[in-house]
Amino acid sequence: MATDRPYHHGDLRRALLDAAATAIVENGPSTVSLRDLARRVGVSHAGPVHHFRDKAGLLTALATEGFELLADALHGAREQGGIAELGVCYVRFATEHRAHFAVMFRPDLYHADDPQLAHAAERAFTSLTEGIGAQVTEGDSAAAVLAAWSLVHGFATLWNTGVMPPELVTDPVDGARAITGILNRAIGPAGGDPAAGS
Amino acid sequence: MATDRPYHHGDLRRALLDAAATAIVENGPSTVSLRDLARRVGVSHAGPVHHFRDKAGLLTALATEGFELLADALHGAREQGGIAELGVCYVRFATEHRAHFAVMFRPDLYHADDPQLAHAAERAFTSLTEGIGAQVTEGDSAAAVLAAWSLVHGFATLWNTGVMPPELVTDPVDGARAITGILNRAIGPAGGDPAAGS
DNA sequence: TGTACATCAGTGAACGCGCGTTCACTGATGTAC
DNA sequence: TGTACATCAGTGAACGCGCGTTCACTGATGTAC
C-alpha cells in the first residue's frame, strides 16, 4: 500500500501483462498499445520499455506465458488419460485465457524466434501430440493427431470469436465434450466399436 | 489501355479489393491501411473513400465477397454429397482465399451489421449446416454439425497461420481429406463404408 | 451534328491524433565498509 | 549504526511517422435537346 502513488510500482511487469490481457479481451490483440497499457496501470508511458524491450517483447512474454500454462494444463490432463480430457482441457484453456490464446497464434505480433517462447511452444505441442498419439488405436496416428488438434482448435477459435450460434452450443466445455466424444468414437481406444483390438 | 495514367481508373473498386487481398496475405488483416491500398493501385489516397465509405467499409465488402464465394462453393459441394466433400471444400476455400477467410472471422474489423454481409454470411452458414446435417445418420445432429465445422475451421486456421509442422501435413487438401475421413467414420452414413453411392 | 449541363470519379492540401521509441533525468533501494 | 555509492525503476519532454477523414476542387463522361 505505501503512500499514494509510490515511485516504484512493485510489480510493474506483472501489472502490464495483466493489463494487456484485459485490453486484448476488450479489443483484440492487434490494437494493444504500450501507451494505453501504461495508462491503465498508472505509470509513465516510457515505463514499459524497461521491462519489455518493445511492444513485440511484451506480447512475446504474454504468448510465452500462454504456452507454459497450456503445456502444464495438458500435462495434467494426460495423467487422466483419454482424448476427450485432453480436448476439453485445450478448450477450457482457450476460453479461460482468451487473451493468451489469441496472442499465441498470432506469430506476426511477437518475436517468434525468442528462445524461451520457442521452448514453451515446443513443450505445449509435445504434450498435445504425444497425449493424443498415445490414445490412438486405429489407423494413421499422424492424421488422428491432426484431426484432434484441428477439432479443438477450431471449436475454441469459433467460440472465442463469438460466431457460434446458440442453437449449436451454449457452454464451451459441454460443446467440447460433445465433439471430442464424437471423434473418440472414430479413433479412440475401444471406441464405439468394442471389436477394436490391441 | 488509353493514354498513360488516365484520370478515371476504370474499376477502382475491384482494384482496391484485390490490393487489399494482397496486402492481407502479406501482413494480416489488421494492418491494412487505405492509404497503402491507394498507393498500391496508383491513385490518390482520398480515392478509396469514394467507393467505400471508410476503412471498415472496404473490409465489409471483402468479407461479404468471401461469404458469397464460400456459400457458392459449399452449395456446389452439397450436390456431390458427403461430409468429406463439404469439409474439403471449406478448407480449399480458406487456403485459396486466405485474405477473404482471414477477414470473414474478424468481425471487429468490419461493419458486422451490414445487411448484405449478414445475408451472405447467413447463406454460407446455412449451406454448411444443412449440408452436414443431411449426412448425419448417427447420434446428435447438432453436435455433429459442430464437430464438422470446428474440425475444418481449425484445420484451415492452423494451416493458414503456418503453425502446422510438416511432419503432420504437407498439402492442405490431403490433410482435409484425411481428417474429414476420420470424422466421417464416426458420424457419416454407413459409417466407414466407402460404398456410399449417389 | 453540336452544345449545354448534370453527374460522377479522382485530386491534393490540410487537419488532428495516437503511436513507438529515444533521451537525459531523478527518485528509491540496497549493499559494502 | 552511519555513510558513500552503484544500481535499478520510473519520468516527462521530444522526435518523427503514418494514419483516417474532410474539403473545395477539377477533369472526364454521358445525356437531353
Side-chain angles (χ1 to χ4, degrees):
Chain A
M1 291 279 158
T3 70
D4 74 33
R5 302 244 158 246
Y7 194 90
H8 285 97
H9 180 281
D11 197 355
L12 183 53
R13 185 188 149 90
R14 181 73 260 152
L16 285 168
L17 289 174
D18 292 345
T22 305
I24 287 167
V25 168
E26 287 169 15
N27 307 312
S30 40
T31 59
V32 228
S33 92
L34 288 184
R35 290 179 103 109
D36 177 53
L37 299 182
R39 242 175 270 130
R40 286 170 187 257
V41 166
V43 101
S44 149
H45 66 260
V49 178
H50 232 269
H51 294 271
F52 311 97
R53 266 172 48 80
D54 49 22
K55 185 179 168 179
L58 186 141
L59 294 176
T60 305
L62 201 64
T64 303
E65 190 173 68
F67 281 116
E68 276 163 359
L69 287 168
L70 177 59
D72 292 347
L74 291 174
H75 193 80
R78 272 175 79 175
E79 310 276 294
Q80 314 192 7
I83 287 177
E85 278 77 10
L86 276 169
V88 169
C89 173
Y90 192 97
V91 170
R92 186 178 276 128
F93 167 80
T95 54
E96 285 178 1
H97 301 89
R98 290 180 57 150
H100 288 88
F101 188 72
V103 175
M104 288 157 65
F105 295 96
R106 292 290 303 276
D108 53 310
L109 297 179
Y110 55 73
H111 297 132
D113 55 342
D114 179 276
Q116 269 188 275
L117 177 127
H119 180 256
E122 181 65 30
R123 204 155 68 83
F125 180 72
T126 305
S127 270
L128 183 69
T129 52
E130 286 185 359
I132 296 168
Q135 303 293 324
V136 177
T137 55
E138 273 186 46
D140 180 1
S141 162
V145 167
L146 194 58
W149 187 18
S150 297
L151 184 75
V152 292
H153 188 83
F155 180 78
T157 304
L158 290 169
W159 176 268
N160 279 356
T161 312
V163 297
M164 284 196 350
E167 63 266 27
L168 284 184
V169 234
T170 52
D171 177 79
V173 171
D174 289 348
R177 268 192 236 289
I179 61 174
T180 52
I182 290 177
L183 185 70
N184 205 38
R185 260 193 254 157
I187 60 174
D193 184 358
S198 83
Chain B
M1 292 280 156
T3 69
D4 75 35
R5 302 245 158 242
Y7 194 89
H8 286 97
H9 181 281
D11 196 355
L12 182 53
R13 187 189 147 89
R14 181 73 258 153
L16 285 169
L17 288 174
D18 292 345
T22 305
I24 287 167
V25 168
E26 287 170 15
N27 307 314
S30 39
T31 59
V32 229
S33 91
L34 289 184
R35 288 179 103 109
D36 178 52
L37 299 183
R39 242 175 270 130
R40 286 171 188 256
V41 166
V43 100
S44 149
H45 66 259
V49 179
H50 232 269
H51 294 270
F52 312 96
R53 267 171 50 77
D54 49 23
K55 187 179 166 178
L58 186 142
L59 294 177
T60 305
L62 200 64
T64 303
E65 190 174 68
F67 281 116
E68 277 163 359
L69 287 167
L70 178 59
D72 291 347
L74 289 175
H75 193 79
R78 273 175 79 176
E79 311 275 296
Q80 314 191 7
I83 288 177
E85 277 76 10
L86 277 169
V88 169
C89 174
Y90 192 97
V91 170
R92 186 178 277 128
F93 167 81
T95 54
E96 284 178 1
H97 300 89
R98 290 180 57 149
H100 288 88
F101 188 72
V103 175
M104 288 158 64
F105 295 96
R106 292 292 302 278
D108 53 310
L109 297 179
Y110 54 74
H111 297 132
D113 54 342
D114 179 275
Q116 268 188 277
L117 176 127
H119 180 255
E122 181 64 29
R123 205 156 68 83
F125 180 71
T126 305
S127 269
L128 183 69
T129 52
E130 286 184 359
I132 296 168
Q135 302 293 325
V136 177
T137 54
E138 274 185 46
D140 180 1
S141 163
V145 168
L146 194 58
W149 187 18
S150 297
L151 183 75
V152 293
H153 188 83
F155 180 77
T157 304
L158 291 169
W159 176 268
N160 278 355
T161 313
V163 296
M164 283 195 353
E167 63 267 26
L168 284 184
V169 237
T170 52
D171 177 78
V173 172
D174 289 348
R177 269 193 235 289
I179 62 175
T180 52
I182 290 177
L183 186 69
N184 206 37
R185 259 194 254 157
I187 60 173
D193 187 351
S198 83

